[in-house]
Amino acid sequence: AHVERAIVGSTTEDLVRAAPRPVLVCPQEFRSPRRLLFSYDGSQCAESALQFCVNGFGRIWEELVVLTVTEAMGESFPFETELGYLSTHGIPYRFLVEPGRPAEAIPRIAERESAHMILIGAHGTHKIRDYLLGPTASHLIRRSALPVLVVS
């Protein structure tokens, strides 16, 4: 079963990488999301994911949890424009900054926050490093028990 999951995971990952449009990767059971966890790192892909989500879905969920995960907690995050964008569109949200590595922290925080779906950009701020080391999006689509919406 482990080999089968790795092969299916590889195929799914290839599809997500090649897709010119957002891809929703779901476990066998899917329920309509009420709380969405959005991993936001300030990258262009994350910006596109935010716009896609707001313009495509509006307010189908009860809450958007905007999460920034950082290994250096002293960093500042000038995301006022993005948070203003959410407010302008009437999107209910909470903004969290959490320590850790994104691939490990996102599933843990999604569970803690009782999220029903994870939204993530296909690439972070370092496309080459992400590709060579395995991006957070790849890790999440392979391991998450929740649906993961990946936006390029």
Side-chain angles (χ1 to χ4, degrees):
H2 178 69
V3 173
E4 182 180 317
R5 179 165 172 80
I7 292 170
V8 170
S10 297
T11 302
T12 304
E13 184 178 337
D14 289 346
L15 174 67
V16 171
R17 281 190 198 275
R21 295 188 176 34
V23 175
L24 179 61
V25 180
C26 299
Q28 285 185 324
E29 290 185 32
F30 178 78
R31 62 182 181 179
S32 181
R34 292 187 319 275
R35 181 170 293 118
L36 185 64
L37 181 76
F38 175 38
S39 177
Y40 189 80
D41 63 3
S43 68
Q44 184 59 49
C45 278
E47 192 70 34
S48 294
L50 177 67
Q51 292 174 6
F52 173 80
C53 193
V54 170
N55 295 328
F57 297 112
R59 291 192 54 183
I60 67 167
W61 56 81
E62 294 170 7
E63 183 179 40
L64 179 66
V65 179
V66 181
L67 169 67
T68 294
V69 178
T70 179
E71 294 181 41
M73 281 303 287
E75 290 182 58
S76 65
F77 300 98
F79 298 147
E80 291 83 20
T81 302
E82 292 81 358
L83 299 179
Y85 180 76
L86 292 170
S87 294
T88 298
H89 286 83
I91 305 296
Y93 72 89
R94 283 186 297 124
F95 183 66
L96 304 175
V97 178
E98 298 279 343
R101 297 181 58 210
E104 297 163 1
I106 293 168
R108 176 177 41 82
I109 295 163
E111 183 176 342
R112 183 188 80 199
E113 296 295 323
S114 301
H116 300 118
M117 185 165 71
I118 298 171
L119 170 65
I120 191 164
H123 297 282
T125 54
H126 304 286
K127 284 187 182 183
I128 293 174
R129 186 181 77 187
D130 285 350
Y131 186 78
L132 295 175
L133 299 178
T136 302
S138 174
H139 179 81
L140 290 173
I141 63 174
R142 287 176 179 253
R143 307 268 187 243
S144 179
L146 297 174
V148 178
L149 178 58
V150 183
V151 179
S152 303

